Amino acid sequence: MRRFLLATIGIVLVSPAAIADGLSLAGSLWQCTRASDRSQFVITFYPGGGVGGGELENGEVSPYIFDASETKPGEWPGKWEQTGQRFTWAFPDQSIRIEGSLSGPGQATARLTGTETSSGERSAITCTSLSKLPKIGEGLVIPRNNHFIDLDQNDGELKVPAGISLQEPGGR
């Protein structure tokens, strides 16, 4: 019984780098780069199956927004699933889907690799583990006509009420 209890505690306290050893992506945060244009973004795998993310530019992340009218407090949009080292990450409000796998599990250099499909466009991606979220920028972004735009440009449409995908649970 004591061995079981220690094993359970070890799984709960596992670090993001250790998560990549095949146990679970739950609670991990990743910085990704698109092969198509070298743009960068951040994704997270929330415990319980929700996802979050945002576009990364100049060291700041602009979180993806989502329609929060159908979510309960502490609930996140989209979903992720993992089978062994294969995973799927989907954020429907932004029309983003990532399918891929873990490589180098159990090593400090663990990576996620796969394909991102966003508004019909596909790009290979490579992701490395992050220990903390980069600074949150001011401009939220939403897709329109297959492009991400700054909300400040007044030509985007915002669903209300909206949530921000990279925030503390219950912080809406």
Side-chain angles (χ1 to χ4, degrees):
M1 181 68 175
R2 184 175 183 201
R3 229 182 259 158
F4 176 74
L5 181 59
L6 290 174
T8 303
I9 292 169
I11 289 170
V12 171
L13 297 177
V14 108
S15 71
I19 287 170
D21 96 19
L23 295 176
S24 176
L25 289 167
S28 64
L29 178 66
W30 301 83
Q31 180 175 327
C32 305
T33 303
R34 294 179 183 95
S36 60
D37 61 6
R38 307 302 299 161
S39 61
Q40 296 185 325
F41 60 103
V42 172
I43 61 174
T44 190
F45 297 80
Y46 289 112
V51 300
E55 295 295 304
L56 185 62
E57 189 173 350
N58 299 325
E60 292 184 347
V61 64
S62 294
Y64 300 140
I65 62 169
F66 62 94
D67 184 348
S69 63
E70 300 297 320
T71 59
K72 297 175 184 134
E75 203 175 64
W76 300 101
K79 68 176 184 167
W80 65 272
E81 295 176 350
Q82 181 181 4
T83 304
Q85 293 183 0
R86 304 275 318 150
F87 72 92
T88 302
W89 181 98
F91 200 110
D93 284 76
Q94 299 287 330
S95 301
I96 301 171
R97 180 178 178 85
I98 299 171
E99 295 176 323
S101 63
L102 294 161
S103 60
Q107 301 173 11
T109 58
R111 293 186 182 275
L112 299 180
T113 56
T115 303
E116 174 197 40
T117 304
S118 178
S119 300
E121 299 291 321
R122 293 173 58 91
S123 180
I125 62 161
T126 303
C127 309
T128 55
S129 179
L130 287 175
S131 59
K132 68 177 191 167
L133 184 65
K135 179 181 176 186
I136 299 287
E138 291 182 24
L140 298 176
V141 291
I142 59 175
R144 183 162 183 204
N145 299 327
N146 299 330
H147 294 90
F148 284 95
I149 60 171
D150 288 323
L151 213 52
D152 295 336
Q153 292 178 354
N154 295 326
D155 59 354
E157 294 177 20
L158 176 62
K159 297 182 216 178
V160 281
I164 300 174
S165 66
L166 292 172
Q167 63 183 5
E168 295 297 318
R172 266 187 241 154

